[in-house]
Amino acid sequence: MFGAGGTAGSRVTAEAVNRGHRVVAAVRRPEATSYLPAGVHVVTGDATSEQSVRELAPDADAMVLAIGGGEHGLWLAAARNLVTTLRGMPDAPRIIHLGGGSTLLTPRGTRYLDEPDFPEEYRPSALGQAEALDYYRSSADGVRWTYVSPPPLEFHPGERTGHYRTGGDQPVTDDQGRSVLSYEDLAVAIVDEIEQPRHENTRFTAAY
């Protein structure tokens, strides 16, 4: 798991541990990981490092990428590193990339990040996640990957209900047209996908 200490990554880590999975958290500063659940194995690692991926891959069924922050090129660099390093590797783990909801499509078929009222402060990270998605779709032959998008707007820490619905490139909406999901239930969806793959080599989204 890259990004195990983040808002989303920590929920995925906890969900996986609670289900009995062995989780390895690859972090840049192992000394600052007291917040991780008991039982998580912490190692020094970086998603943009070929060496880190090569060291972790042999014992992994899936490599979860839930990194945040940094410049907008971070997500593409990490995606490219995982794909090129894992390609051709025997029994290579699957890539699970936690991406942006702003890459989902509006009813008009345009990306949310391209809307005129999209907040400028979020545009660099949104563009970075869009570049990563484009890379998987165009250049990730020879590996197994899944790109996961949360709802584009109403996505917050909250309650774990264990319930959600999935969709493709457009948000999953309720009867009021809202697309809502908690971080906790996105973690449920991600671990479910790891345990029972349904969206290999494609993107999916989830909401109530």
Side-chain angles (χ1 to χ4, degrees), residues 71-90:
E71 298 182 357
H72 91 272
L74 174 64
W75 293 275
L76 175 58
R80 181 181 287 123
N81 180 54
L82 264 68
V83 168
T84 57
T85 304
L86 295 177
R87 181 182 285 129
M89 186 179 294

Side-chain angles (χ1 to χ4, degrees), residues 148-203:
V148 188
S149 286
L153 298 174
E154 298 187 69
F155 177 51
H156 310 286
E159 179 185 359
R160 182 196 185 282
T161 69
H163 301 289
Y164 60 89
R165 294 177 294 141
T166 60
D169 286 331
Q170 291 188 318
V172 175
T173 57
D174 60 18
D175 292 340
Q176 288 74 46
R178 297 174 62 197
S179 183
V180 183
L181 191 68
S182 68
Y183 276 89
E184 287 75 8
D185 280 328
L186 182 70
V188 174
I190 289 173
V191 179
D192 283 350
E193 179 65 25
I194 293 172
E195 293 180 344
Q196 300 180 4
R198 294 187 176 92
H199 301 93
E200 284 198 358
N201 300 334
T202 191
R203 182 254 290 276

Side-chain angles (χ1 to χ4, degrees), residues 32-76:
T33 55
S34 59
Y35 50 82
L36 291 175
V40 175
H41 181 59
V42 179
V43 299
T44 301
D46 182 344
T48 62
S49 163
E50 178 183 347
Q51 179 180 349
S52 290
V53 174
R54 288 197 177 279
E55 289 176 350
L56 293 170
D59 297 321
D61 295 316
M63 302 194 87
V64 180
L65 190 65
I67 58 176
E71 298 182 357
H72 91 272
L74 174 64
W75 293 275
L76 175 58

Side-chain angles (χ1 to χ4, degrees), residues 98-116:
L98 177 54
S102 60
T103 61
L104 291 167
L105 302 182
T106 70
R108 297 186 304 280
T110 58
R111 300 178 303 183
Y112 279 87
L113 67 91
D114 295 322
E115 292 294 283

